[in-house]
Amino acid sequence: MTARVGIVVFPGSNCELDCERSFERLGASTEFVWHDDNTLPDVDIVVLPGGFAHGDYLRTGALARFSPIMHSVAEHAAAGKLLIGICNGFQVLCEAGLLPGALRKNEGLKFLCKWTELRVEVPGTPFTARAERGQLLRIPINHFEGNWYADPDTVARMRANHQIVLRYVKNPNGSLDGVAGISNERGNVLGLMPHPERACESLLGSEDGAVIIGSMLDHVMHMQPSPAGV
Amino acid sequence: MSETESLHRDLGLTDDEFQAICDRLGREPGYTELAMFSVMWSEHCSYKSSRVHLETLPTEGERILVGPGEGAGIIEVADGVAVAWKIESHNHPSFVEPFNGAATGVGGIVRDILSMGARPIALMDPLRFGPLEDARTRYLVDGVVHGISSYGNSIGVPTVGGETVFEECYAANPLVNVACLGVVDTKLMHGRAEVPGQVAILFGSSTGRDGIGGASVLASAEFDEDSLDKRPSVQVGDPFSEKLLIECSLELIRRELVASFQDLGAGGISCPTSEMTAKGGTGIRIDLDNVHRREPSMEPFEVMISESQERMLAVVESEDVEDVLGVCAKWGLEARVLGEITKTGRVEVVDRKTVVADVPSLALAEEGPVYERPIERPHWMAGINAAPAGDEAPEHYGRTFYEMVASPQIASKRWVWEQYDHMIFLGTVIGPGGDAAVIRLPGTETAVAITTDGPGRLCMLDPYEGARHAVAEAARNVAAVGARPAAITNCLNFGSPEGSGVMWQFSEVVRGIGDACRDLGTPVTGGNVSFYNETNGRPIYPTPVIGMLGIVGDPAVAVGIGFRDEGDAIVLLGTTELDDFGGSEYGKIVNDAIGGTPPNLDMGAERALHEVLIAGADAGLFNSAHDLSGGGLAVALAECAFASNRGFSVQIGGTEPHRTLYSESPSRAVVSCGQGLVDDVLALAGRHGIAAEVIGAVAADMCDFSVFATSLEEARSVWEGGLSGHLSARVE
């Protein structure tokens, strides 16, 4: 059995081909899901890839959350299945209310494409099972709006609930608490600004992205109980 | 005098050109017709001043599938793998409105690549500005970089390199060139409408009043104090539409729904309709009522020459129209039938049932004027060649080294390229900051190396020799990563062709490029000429920007510039002449001198060096390789160290060590290798007749030149801050 991955393509998405390549490289089978469809195919994992869905006009992710497929994506998450939003996908998940907080423009008011080091703060999640606590991952960022923010109560609750899964070792964009990746309360939805799909091959500079993608595939393959039961 | 007769001058046509149009038509042109001629016969679209020179360039080779004259050159890089490679300029729009000027420059070149049926997979942006001390220059740099970043990132095409050059002559006329690499997706397309009865479909953004006369009013005239009033002639870009246009076009080709294809750029609808039918020996009847417009009250001539962005023209079989419209609808793009391909050989334009234009396609597209403009070597050449090159010894070696690496010309360009997505497509094996970018082609294990080079200062001192240097250095850059130079595209940036001195520079540069390309076996696959780069009568340096493409084969053998292991031997390849300071960085930065003549360039030695670099990379001998260019050996060593955070210790001898450190003799490179491989490297160089000398070793944390030494960390921070220090400050 291979893990089945659905990669949602919005008009303006641009990392879908890279996600396809890296998920398949690690053993998954993938298919693209058009944003205008009403239902997801039978998949174990849904990926909202990076890019500029609907041109990022109005506000990043603000239009994409209204795409027809998003109902089905929310149901997929509600069923406890894995959902990951990478970069623009993270922004869409925040706008859709599937993850807390919001992503503002980078502190330096510049787009940033660079390698960053991330620290795994919460191992043992479906997204970090292959990592140890404190392990450093070298994965690049590529965004203008990656400066995550939430109100203090939300942040306190998230800390207590181990939802701040990945932090930057050196904060590149002013993100609150150095947040690079967060999960929902149940732990089956992850949003992260860095691009793990860009770091799955030593020829391109790092294989650390495979820790995150591989963990997800392991999780599906081991048919573990829903994360709510972990 | 009739209405159109007085109008033609406002549209940029001369009296003689107007008469030629009348002669060709056998009558005076109508209003819409005149507008169409004005853009198609503009310098930008017709190459009327450059054509006689460009025809001397070598354009053929085994690997060249398509040469100049189409959307982009096509080069076969491996069995069944073809790439498109092309460079363009967007200089004038970027000076008038830097953000949109630069952004739409990216959009334009991407559509050129797309029109060949290729997926755009990498961009390079060679940029030239005035000194950063000027606040307007800082505004331009910020706007241009932001424009490229905003557009390129959004359409999902990585920007993998370029140049950022600062020189006084570009202060009032910056150069914003952009090169694009594509890989033919399923089928090579041509912009040729050969079958009457087929249907032309215009799809993409709506047509508005933006960019009216961009080719004629902006790109084909020099600048003066009133130029900023031309802002309405600059187009406004919408990268979201461009991204949809890319995906939609590729889907149309994949589904075999398109017979031929061309993008809309300069000249608007007039351009592809006349060019495709002229090439195919057909005509077209255009119904302007079917053009989806941004505003209702546009005049027919405005619709015909508007340069609204993100539009394509597809010629399709009539029975496929519904399917084509369906694919466009899926991608959310407006698409309508613009007209039908006819047998008439004419472009007929109908507006509300009235014929508003009826002219031969050939007259518009191929029978424009051709000029052999007067040529005269400028009188000031003798003086500048006799002027000092600025090769006096420095007062203090350490401080001079810092002055060199801190100068914006040499300093780290990280501030620029970190704003560009340079990684998307998982192909960037070597990205910005090296000699050349190495791009693995999607779905293959084949890689190509691409770079751009344009030594304007050398071309000012001697346009022929400078152009040879431009080609040689670009080729050296791709050889340094281990790639074999294969083909070039060029962007020729010059002042007004109406000046005999500029035309002399142009003819000499083209002659130099031609000779160098023949010597190196790298044909010219096309490019772009940008004249009128002058403001208030002061032209820029003659600046040919050479985009070189090399073939790597296996991306795993590509070599970067950064040192690898402490203790590795550092080998200097090639011969250093101690007085090669004409037009050098050292002369300008340290001694404030721009003079002399370019260094002597021996193409035999240059070719031999490339063979050493390629063979060494293939055999896995090198842990790093870097060509020597601006700033000579000292700067090259520093760049190897900064890229890797490993220092070096080298022995620099001689009575005037600054000459060894900063001389800019061509045909040289510095490589590092394991100590056990030194003999192999020396033997390889010997076989090719290239001088090779072990000058030192990779060390921990010092830049030790023996005559002086600095800490690596301090030198690196000086280099990192040289550009960003100017630009991070608030713009007044």
Side-chain angles (χ1 to χ4, degrees):
Chain A
M1 177 206 159
T2 42
R4 296 158 305 174
V5 179
I7 302 167
V8 177
V9 182
F10 299 95
S13 293
N14 63 25
C15 295
E16 70 274 19
L17 294 170
D18 295 356
C19 286
E20 175 192 38
R21 184 173 172 126
S22 291
F23 274 84
E24 292 198 348
R25 190 185 171 83
L26 291 164
S29 69
T30 66
E31 62 187 293
F32 294 127
V33 183
W34 185 235
H35 81 114
D36 216 16
D37 292 349
N38 286 310
T39 50
L40 285 167
D42 188 14
V43 293
D44 306 302
I45 295 170
V46 170
V47 179
L48 303 192
F52 294 72
H54 298 282
D56 270 356
Y57 292 147
L58 185 59
R59 195 172 64 241
T60 58
L63 300 176
R65 63 166 288 210
F66 294 110
S67 280
I69 197 66
M70 288 304 291
H71 284 290
S72 192
V73 169
E75 284 168 11
H76 175 92
K81 295 188 187 174
L82 298 189
L83 168 61
I84 185 170
I86 301 167
C87 195
N88 193 224
F90 184 8
Q91 295 160 347
V92 174
L93 290 177
C94 288
E95 287 286 338
L98 292 170
L99 286 173
L103 291 144
R104 305 169 300 174
K105 281 206 186 305
N106 295 341
E107 204 170 55
L109 296 181
K110 292 265 180 280
F111 191 99
L112 279 179
C113 178
K114 63 190 290 191
W115 288 94
T116 57
E117 264 196 326
L118 312 178
R119 195 171 47 239
V120 177
E121 303 290 8
V122 187
T125 76
F127 306 93
T128 55
R130 285 193 185 182
E132 290 167 19
R133 182 181 305 280
Q135 186 173 336
L136 300 184
L137 305 178
R138 185 167 185 267
I139 299 180
I141 56 167
N142 183 67
H143 59 245
F144 208 141
E145 288 91 1
N147 179 355
W148 183 81
Y149 177 82
D151 65 80
D153 289 348
T154 304
V155 174
R157 209 167 46 242
M158 290 173 68
R159 279 200 196 118
N161 197 37
H162 307 295
Q163 285 173 252
I164 297 173
V165 180
L166 296 157
R167 281 198 178 88
Y168 299 109
V169 173
K170 194 173 160 219
N171 194 338
N173 57 20
S175 187
L176 185 71
D177 205 15
V179 161
I182 57 169
S183 73
N184 63 346
E185 236 176 85
R186 191 172 178 180
N188 65 319
V189 179
L190 185 80
L192 79 169
M193 289 314 297
H195 288 261
E197 82 280 9
R198 294 186 178 189
C200 291
E201 210 179 335
S202 59
L203 186 66
L204 303 178
S206 170
E207 295 181 295
D208 290 352
V211 170
I212 291 170
I213 295 173
S215 295
M216 296 169 70
L217 302 186
D218 288 351
H219 180 84
V220 171
M221 299 305 288
H222 296 159
M223 308 274 274
Q224 289 182 351
S226 105
V230 171
Chain B
M1 194 178 263
S2 74
E3 192 192 339
T4 50
E5 200 176 339
S6 55
L7 182 70
H8 67 261
R9 290 194 206 105
D10 293 340
L11 292 173
L13 290 166
T14 67
D15 293 351
D16 287 345
E17 287 166 349
F18 180 74
Q19 192 53 50
I21 294 167
C22 296
D23 293 347
R24 186 67 178 80
L25 297 181
R27 58 175 166 83
E28 283 196 3
Y31 200 78
T32 305
E33 293 170 336
L34 189 64
M36 291 161 65
F37 274 104
S38 78
V39 291
M40 292 306 295
W41 284 22
S42 68
E43 187 67 56
H44 186 79
C45 290
S46 74
Y47 294 85
K48 57 191 169 192
S49 303
S50 56
R51 190 174 287 187
V52 293
H53 301 282
L54 298 177
E55 280 167 356
T56 66
L57 291 172
T59 57
E60 290 177 2
E62 258 174 50
R63 294 182 176 277
I64 310 303
L65 302 183
V66 177
E70 295 221 32
I74 301 285
I75 304 138
E76 186 172 37
V77 295
D79 277 349
V81 183
V83 299
W85 177 229
K86 171 93 183 281
I87 191 166
E88 259 273 8
S89 64
H90 237 213
N91 303 336
H92 288 126
S94 303
F95 181 58
V96 176
E97 212 293 88
F99 180 90
N100 277 300
T104 54
V106 174
I109 191 77
V110 160
R111 286 191 300 281
D112 280 337
I113 298 298
L114 187 59
S115 73
M116 303 305 292
R119 176 181 278 283
I121 58 163
L123 290 160
M124 290 201 134
D125 287 278
L127 309 175
R128 285 166 172 75
F129 301 100
L132 280 169
E133 285 71 23
D134 177 45
R136 178 159 171 90
T137 292
R138 295 198 296 275
Y139 157 76
L140 289 174
V141 174
D142 196 63
V144 164
V145 171
H146 190 198
I148 293 166
S149 156
S150 164
Y151 203 98
N153 298 350
S154 183
I155 61 174
V157 181
T159 301
V160 297
E163 303 162 85
T164 317
V165 173
F166 301 93
E167 199 83 71
E168 283 75 3
C169 69
Y170 304 117
N173 199 123
L175 299 186
V176 176
N177 294 176
V178 51
C180 188
L181 175 76
V183 59
V184 175
D185 194 54
T186 41
K187 186 180 165 204
L188 182 57
M189 301 298 293
H190 295 281
R192 199 173 292 148
E194 289 169 327
V195 184
Q198 289 183 338
V199 169
I201 293 180
L202 178 68
F203 65 105
S205 291
S206 52
T207 299
R209 280 202 170 100
D210 55 327
I212 299 282
S216 50
V217 178
L218 261 185
S220 300
E222 64 274 27
F223 273 172
D224 54 30
E225 284 82 3
D226 301 327
S227 293
L228 294 183
D229 296 341
K230 292 178 176 171
R231 197 167 292 171
S233 291
V234 178
Q235 311 87 337
V236 176
D238 173 13
F240 177 54
S241 292
E242 182 95 343
K243 170 67 175 166
L244 301 175
L245 203 64
I246 294 172
E247 300 305 332
C248 178
S249 301
L250 293 176
E251 182 169 339
L252 288 172
I253 299 168
R254 262 197 301 273
R255 292 176 54 177
E256 300 189 341
L257 291 171
V258 184
S260 66
F261 225 10
Q262 194 169 327
D263 60 300
L264 277 75
I269 292 174
S270 300
C271 185
T273 52
S274 60
E275 288 186 353
M276 291 174 85
T277 53
K279 280 181 193 154
T282 56
I284 183 169
R285 190 172 172 88
I286 296 170
D287 185 352
L288 279 191
D289 300 344
N290 281 351
V291 175
H292 49 287
R293 306 178 190 189
R294 213 163 287 172
E295 46 196 317
S297 62
M298 291 176 73
E299 297 290 331
F301 89 91
E302 291 178 308
V303 179
M304 282 305 292
I305 68 168
S306 157
E307 294 181 7
S308 289
Q309 299 291 291
E310 294 94 22
R311 296 179 298 163
M312 295 285 283
L313 191 71
V315 173
V316 310
E317 297 292 350
S318 53
E319 63 263 31
D320 289 333
V321 168
E322 286 312 309
D323 287 346
V324 170
L325 298 182
V327 172
C328 294
K330 173 194 158 184
W331 289 102
L333 292 174
E334 278 262 22
R336 300 208 194 145
V337 172
L338 178 71
E340 187 182 320
I341 305 302
T342 63
K343 297 177 193 166
T344 60
R346 303 178 75 85
V347 178
E348 299 163 86
V349 183
V350 180
D351 178 64
R352 284 163 293 183
K353 302 203 168 33
T354 307
V355 175
V356 294
D358 182 0
V359 294
S361 305
L362 283 168
L364 280 170
E366 290 177 14
E367 293 171 355
V370 175
Y371 295 134
E372 282 200 54
R373 296 201 184 267
I375 282 172
E376 191 181 5
R377 186 173 194 266
H379 59 83
W380 49 260
M381 285 292 294
I384 194 106
N385 289 150
D391 60 352
E392 301 85 356
E395 283 173 23
H396 186 283
Y397 273 89
R399 276 204 295 275
T400 296
F401 175 65
Y402 279 178
E403 197 185 345
M404 290 288 288
V405 298
S407 88
Q409 192 87 342
I410 290 170
S412 168
K413 307 300 188 294
R414 183 186 299 275
W415 182 91
V416 175
W417 54 256
E418 271 189 356
Q419 297 188 51
Y420 303 150
D421 181 349
H422 50 271
M423 300 179 183
I424 191 167
F425 286 143
L426 308 185
T428 311
V429 178
I430 294 179
D435 281 329
V438 174
I439 305 300
R440 179 177 60 186
L441 304 175
T444 76
E445 287 306 321
T446 296
V448 298
I450 48 177
T451 191
T452 67
D453 239 301
R457 214 184 295 147
L458 295 183
C459 291
M460 182 271 291
L461 295 176
D462 184 333
Y464 173 78
E465 289 298 332
R468 289 176 73 240
H469 276 278
V471 177
E473 191 185 335
R476 201 181 309 138
N477 281 335
V478 302
V481 299
R484 182 165 296 280
I488 73 160
T489 178
N490 57 37
C491 192
L492 306 176
N493 305 275
F494 287 78
S496 166
E498 293 160 39
S500 60
V502 167
M503 255 345 264
W504 175 79
Q505 292 175 327
F506 184 78
S507 68
E508 285 291 285
V509 160
V510 172
R511 191 167 69 86
I513 291 173
D515 283 352
C517 285
R518 275 183 286 268
D519 283 340
L520 294 176
T522 54
V524 182
T525 63
N528 166 247
V529 178
S530 172
F531 279 127
Y532 297 99
N533 290 292
E534 57 182 75
T535 298
N536 296 326
R538 292 188 49 191
I540 58 162
Y541 289 164
T543 311
V545 175
I546 305 297
M548 178 68 72
L549 180 134
I551 299 169
V552 182
D554 179 3
V557 308
V559 182
I561 68 168
F563 291 135
R564 203 175 79 186
D565 298 323
E566 220 178 299
D568 277 359
I570 298 175
V571 182
L572 174 62
L573 300 172
T575 305
T576 304
E577 300 294 340
L578 295 179
D579 54 358
D580 278 342
F581 281 86
S584 65
E585 295 298 343
Y586 179 88
K588 185 181 178 205
I589 296 167
V590 179
N591 291 320
D592 205 16
I594 299 175
T597 53
N600 182 45
L601 171 61
D602 171 358
M603 280 295 186
E606 185 70 44
R607 272 199 313 267
L609 176 74
H610 301 173
E611 294 302 330
V612 173
L613 291 168
I614 295 164
D618 268 344
L621 294 180
F622 305 145
N623 286 343
S624 70
H626 189 14
D627 90 303
L628 267 59
S629 59
L633 177 62
V635 167
L637 287 169
E639 287 170 344
C640 299
F642 300 152
S644 59
N645 231 0
R646 280 171 184 71
F648 56 85
S649 170
V650 294
Q651 295 300 313
I652 301 296
T655 49
E656 291 187 296
H658 77 285
R659 295 184 176 278
T660 309
L661 288 168
Y662 297 115
S663 160
E664 294 187 7
S665 305
S667 316
R668 295 183 300 160
V670 62
V671 298
S672 68
C673 65
Q675 291 289 349
L677 294 172
V678 169
D679 289 345
D680 292 355
V681 172
L682 298 181
L684 172 65
R687 279 201 297 283
H688 290 279
I690 289 292
E693 181 192 356
V694 177
I695 56 170
V698 178
D701 50 8
M702 293 292 285
C703 295
D704 183 352
F705 292 94
S706 64
V707 281
F708 71 99
T710 67
S711 101
L712 171 60
E713 196 187 330
E714 190 175 273
R716 189 191 157 113
S717 80
V718 168
W719 173 76
E720 283 285 2
L723 181 62
S724 61
H726 285 279
L727 291 163
S728 300
R730 249 193 125 65
V731 177
E732 294 95 307

